[in-house]
Amino acid sequence: MSFSLEDIRELLLKENLLKEFVSDQGWHLTAPTNFSFENISYDSRQVDESTLFFCKGLNFKEAYLQSAVSQGLAYYVAEQPYEVSAVGIIVTDIRKAMAILAMAFYDYPQQKLQVIGYTGTKGKTTAAYFTKAILDHTTNNKTALLSTMNTTLDGQTYFKSHLTTPESLDLYRMMAEAVTNGMTHLVMEVSSQAYKTQRVYGLTLDVGIFLNISPDHISPIEHPTFDDYFYCKRQLILNSKTVVLNHESDYFKLLKETADLYHIPAIVYGRSPETTYQVTSLAGSGHPFTLTSNQGHLPIEAEYDILLAGGFNQENAASAIIAAALTGASIEDAQTGLKAARVPGRMDQLVQHNGAHVYVDYAHNYLSLKTLLEFAKSEHPKGRVIVVLGSPGNKAISRRHDFGSVLSETADVVFLTADDPAFEDPQKIADEIAEAITNEALLIHYEMDRPTAIEQALAASTAEDSVVIAGKGVDPYQKINGEDVLYEGDYAIVKRLIEDKQL
């Protein structure tokens, strides 16, 4: 893959992103030569003389560019010129420029895939896995996945994701690899940060799904306000050919108004008769539900069953059925796929020897934790809800207060512990959660060693209790002081303790 300096000039001018070319020949709007690039990179350690280098990021230092030039770099893209021998392609917005140039460099792979994108405060990963499980039957396993936990570009081999939505350069490289691997569909999670930082600038989704919204990721380094967070989330609607909306979401009317204003076809699902497709829970073994049509035309009216408990997961499944049907899936594909679909770290259930149920879930914000604890209380009304919980360091600071509020409303016992503390002291984070707890009857324990906290929670339970291990799921790492430290994973720890220590 390659493209020329003149190609770059035309692409940037078309998007009104080009300021000027800066070289030893002066400042001009014409390219100084007709050089062709064989590589593109934003990592100064991965450059050579044929690489186009992007100077991007809040932590970018001129020293990175100087290091790249010393390795032979001849051209860079930046928002300002630097005193180096390389030619500068100066742009008004480095992130938008990187997105536009990356998709062109990789020959617009999104046009060779059916792209389904999910956003929302909770449920993105579950709904994405549900959708892939359905489309695997439709496409004969030719569906790629970009999710918070794992990524697959060949439909079968998974690796750990570093970001919910990759940087634009990585995103289009991954898409191109998926195309090379013969994939026909891509299911991806689209974070609010992806829109705020222009990682998906210029990307149009074939189907965009807006699951729900509640405050999250509010911090000085993410979104300064809920308004900013919600606005960034809503950009998915404007960048989708068809949008699927959850009628049960907060601010649903604004979501629907947004779609209508920009003439984006919208399909609404939920439990209300006002929806296009209505979800109704059924009694019986498993977790069956029906999807019925009030005014829709997709052939998806049927009975479905899923492995995961909770009405909220039935709604996630409904969104997946609609999205998959819009991109070619049949009722049989949906029924078969959903019946066997598993989601790593989502609503994994185990039973202790004393009869207490344990729920391991990735719940990591206000809405997901509240939904999970309310489910545990409804399933085990005679017992206590015992929770193991932490909050990440150096991001989403608002979650700490939110967790204190949820615990006050729905928990009986909590073991506060570490959860990706990064560069912060996990005890300090735990203290901030505790400061927001207003229920004086809530019993609070502190144990910063997470496996020990889990063991203590299991040991404290009785037959009628439910134990909720929230936050990590099957994540095999803890982020500590800038490193990914190997971690057994919540589910593996619970399983081991039940089997080895007979808890």
Side-chain angles (χ1 to χ4, degrees):
M1 296 177 181
S2 67
F3 61 172
S4 70
L5 209 54
E6 187 57 36
D7 293 332
I8 292 169
R9 176 180 178 272
E10 291 179 5
L11 288 164
L12 294 176
L13 284 173
K14 182 179 179 181
E15 293 290 329
N16 197 28
L17 290 170
L18 181 65
K19 284 185 181 178
E20 64 268 337
F21 290 91
V22 175
S23 68
D24 56 9
Q25 300 175 28
W27 291 25
H28 300 282
L29 284 173
T30 55
T33 62
N34 196 25
F35 191 85
S36 290
F37 300 92
E38 302 298 325
N39 303 292
I40 57 177
S41 176
Y42 57 83
D43 187 338
S44 61
R45 297 165 297 183
Q46 298 178 5
V47 300
D48 58 23
E49 62 278 2
S50 65
T51 300
L52 179 64
F53 177 64
F54 295 90
C55 305
K56 71 95 188 164
L58 293 174
N59 298 318
F60 177 78
K61 299 176 182 177
E62 185 173 351
Y64 300 154
L65 175 59
Q66 292 172 341
S67 173
V69 171
S70 71
Q71 299 174 60
L73 183 79
Y75 294 86
Y76 67 91
V77 184
E79 291 181 355
Q80 66 180 56
Y82 291 97
E83 294 295 327
V84 293
S85 59
V87 174
I89 304 170
I90 313 305
V91 297
T92 58
D93 189 312
I94 185 63
R95 290 187 174 276
K96 288 182 178 179
M98 189 165 75
I100 291 298
L101 296 181
M103 68 172 70
F105 180 81
Y106 288 107
D107 194 24
Y108 303 96
Q110 71 272 28
Q111 296 177 3
K112 304 163 190 174
L113 297 162
Q114 290 277 304
V115 183
I116 298 169
Y118 277 94
T119 203
T121 303
K122 76 177 182 78
K124 294 188 298 296
T125 300
T126 298
Y129 267 82
F130 281 165
T131 308
K132 174 172 164 46
I134 296 170
L135 288 172
D136 278 345
H137 290 273
T138 308
T139 66
N140 192 23
N141 297 313
K142 290 181 171 58
T143 300
L145 173 72
L146 302 178
S147 82
T148 301
M149 291 297 295
N150 291 304
T151 291
T152 177
L153 304 177
D154 62 5
Q156 299 181 53
T157 306
Y158 290 81
F159 57 90
K160 180 177 171 57
S161 305
H162 294 290
L163 293 169
T164 298
T165 310
E167 292 284 359
S168 58
L169 189 153
D170 299 320
L171 174 62
Y172 291 105
R173 173 180 53 78
M174 289 177 174
M175 283 188 180
E177 185 174 338
V179 171
T180 300
N181 289 336
M183 300 296 100
T184 60
H185 290 62
L186 169 66
V187 182
M188 62 183 292
E189 297 180 40
V190 189
S191 66
S192 57
Q193 283 290 300
Y195 283 110
K196 187 172 181 66
T197 60
Q198 310 296 345
R199 293 177 202 160
V200 289
Y201 178 76
L203 174 63
T204 300
L205 304 168
D206 291 287
V207 182
I209 304 94
F210 198 110
L211 294 172
N212 45 61
I213 190 72
S214 70
D216 193 26
H217 293 287
I218 313 301
S219 74
I221 61 172
E222 293 174 289
H223 297 280
T225 63
F226 171 70
D227 174 67
D228 182 69
Y229 171 65
F230 188 21
Y231 177 76
C232 290
K233 286 280 192 190
R234 296 203 304 275
Q235 299 314 297
L236 174 131
I237 297 175
L238 277 60
N239 290 282
S240 298
K241 295 177 183 177
T242 301
V243 68
V244 181
L245 304 176
N246 181 2
H247 186 271
E248 317 307 326
S249 174
D250 289 349
Y251 304 96
F252 167 74
K253 289 184 178 179
L254 179 56
L255 299 175
K256 186 64 165 61
E257 285 176 13
T258 303
D260 292 344
L261 179 64
Y262 290 93
H263 306 291
I264 309 296
I267 298 174
V268 179
Y269 70 97
R271 297 188 179 270
S272 167
E274 301 173 32
T275 58
T276 316
Y277 294 98
Q278 187 173 354
V279 181
T280 304
S281 299
L282 299 174
S285 60
H287 307 285
F289 66 97
T290 60
L291 205 57
T292 53
S293 172
N294 293 312
Q295 55 200 24
H297 303 289
L298 291 171
I300 56 176
E301 290 189 272
E303 182 177 324
Y304 302 90
D305 199 359
I306 56 175
L307 293 172
L308 301 188
F312 54 94
N313 279 319
Q314 293 177 346
E315 292 162 21
N316 288 331
S319 75
I321 294 165
I322 296 167
L326 286 167
T327 54
S330 67
I331 287 177
E332 292 74 19
D333 294 332
Q335 290 173 323
T336 305
L338 288 175
K339 195 169 185 178
R342 298 201 64 88
V343 185
R346 295 307 197 278
M347 286 299 288
D348 281 321
Q349 300 181 47
L350 302 100
V351 180
Q352 293 179 239
H353 291 282
N354 66 1
H357 282 67
V358 184
Y359 299 97
V360 179
D361 194 271
Y362 188 62
H364 61 288
N365 55 45
Y366 174 87
L367 187 55
S368 59
L369 183 64
K370 182 179 177 65
T371 303
L372 177 59
L373 298 190
E374 287 178 344
F375 169 79
K377 177 64 81 174
S378 67
E379 290 290 299
H380 310 279
K382 295 182 180 179
R384 300 171 300 166
V385 176
I386 302 172
V387 184
V388 177
L389 178 72
S391 192
N394 302 110
K395 70 173 187 176
I397 308 301
S398 63
R399 285 182 189 168
R400 301 169 194 181
H401 181 275
D402 291 343
F403 288 165
S405 299
V406 175
L407 293 168
S408 299
E409 298 165 3
T410 54
D412 300 290
V413 183
V414 62
F415 289 81
L416 294 173
T417 189
D419 181 346
D420 291 335
F423 292 96
E424 290 193 68
D425 177 1
Q427 181 64 54
K428 170 182 169 291
I429 296 172
D431 290 339
E432 291 180 17
I433 296 172
E435 287 172 5
I437 293 175
T438 56
N439 181 1
E440 295 182 359
L442 176 63
L443 186 59
I444 305 173
H445 299 278
Y446 297 91
E447 175 51 67
M448 295 307 108
D449 181 71
R450 192 174 178 96
T452 302
I454 292 172
E455 182 172 0
Q456 291 175 353
L458 297 182
S461 68
T462 61
E464 294 182 333
D465 294 337
S466 57
V467 181
V468 175
I469 318 295
K472 297 292 293 176
V474 295
D475 189 353
Y477 297 95
Q478 283 265 34
K479 296 184 182 300
I480 302 173
N481 294 324
E483 295 184 8
D484 283 344
V485 179
L486 283 173
Y487 175 66
E488 189 176 357
D490 287 352
Y491 180 81
I493 290 170
V494 173
K495 191 171 185 292
R496 172 175 56 79
L497 290 171
I498 291 175
E499 292 175 353
D500 295 351
K501 296 204 173 186
Q502 299 293 299
L503 289 176

